[in-house]
Amino acid sequence: IFALAFTEAITHSYQLLADLSRKKLLEIGGGSGEQAIYFATKGAIVTVIDVSPESLKATEQLAKGQGIILSVHQMDVEEMNFKSEEFDLIYINSVLMHAHPQKVLPECSRVLKKEGKLVIIEPLQYAPFVQLYRLLGSYRKTKPRYATLKMFQQNKIYFSEYSHQEFYLFASLLLPLFWVKSKITPKIYHLVAKGDKALLFFLPFLQKLCWVSVVEYRK
């Protein structure tokens, strides 16, 4: 459901990564492994790290089933066992809420090559229309610490360039539509998401109230 709900944000993050051919890409927090597989099919040399052995096993099995070669490591993102300037690209999707960004982002800067990119998709703290879901959903048991635009701004000191784009203001009100088995309901959601993009262009002060931010740091 969230992969479908984040379609615009994920597409934008892939556009920021640009050409992946022969690029050394580190994915932090691989989840089910589907994005790692996608990166590999686009020519990237993919390394995945995660604290969860189950997640890494799922990624390995998925890669093996599709004949994809990648590297997986169980590792703490706050103290990565990689040499400095090892990767061209780093990709993070909804992981910082479970870690300390003040430790993760300097580590990412350390292992990123000069002129490399770090691309992040992260839910934001102050999104008003998902607060009830966060309060009632079982995900609250993981005690996530949601990001803020101020946090991303403060950590730009570890990089030479920083940019961000936000998604899903009023569209996040329609999240329950994804539990309705109808072909038209996701279309309504994504139509409103396009409207949000236009609204944010004219009223950028609303960015902090969006559900998701896509952040790009350049070394």
Side-chain angles (χ1 to χ4, degrees), residues 39-171:
F39 299 142
T41 61
K42 295 299 180 180
I45 303 167
V46 179
T47 298
V48 180
I49 66 170
D50 205 302
V51 294
S52 167
E54 293 80 11
S55 176
L56 295 174
K57 184 177 180 180
T59 298
E60 282 187 306
Q61 290 177 341
L62 186 61
K64 184 177 180 181
Q66 299 190 32
I68 298 293
I69 298 175
L70 47 74
S71 177
V72 302
H73 303 274
Q74 187 175 2
M75 192 180 298
D76 183 354
V77 66
E78 296 176 7
E79 296 182 17
M80 291 188 280
N81 299 325
F82 296 119
K83 64 182 182 181
S84 297
E85 298 187 7
E86 186 164 348
F87 297 98
D88 300 293
L89 301 165
I90 302 175
Y91 189 84
I92 303 176
N93 186 346
S94 305
V95 171
L96 293 182
M97 69 178 81
H98 303 300
H100 293 90
Q102 295 79 4
K103 296 180 179 180
V104 175
L105 295 177
E107 269 292 273
C108 287
S109 177
R110 181 185 67 81
V111 303
L112 197 60
K113 292 180 181 179
K114 189 175 181 180
E115 300 183 359
K117 295 180 186 178
L118 164 61
V119 176
I120 302 169
I121 300 178
E122 201 70 26
L124 294 175
Q125 181 175 346
Y126 299 117
F129 304 129
V130 296
Q131 297 303 326
L132 182 61
Y133 168 80
R134 289 174 176 175
L135 180 64
L136 300 179
S138 59
Y139 199 69
R140 73 185 188 281
K141 296 177 182 178
T142 66
K143 298 181 180 179
R145 298 180 296 270
Y146 294 105
T148 64
L149 295 184
K150 182 179 179 180
M151 181 274 290
F152 286 123
Q153 174 77 14
Q154 290 173 336
N155 283 278
K156 72 177 185 178
I157 60 173
Y158 302 108
F159 303 89
S160 63
E161 296 180 38
Y162 159 69
S163 64
H164 60 94
Q165 183 170 327
E166 282 62 56
F167 297 83
Y168 316 121
L169 180 57
F170 292 110

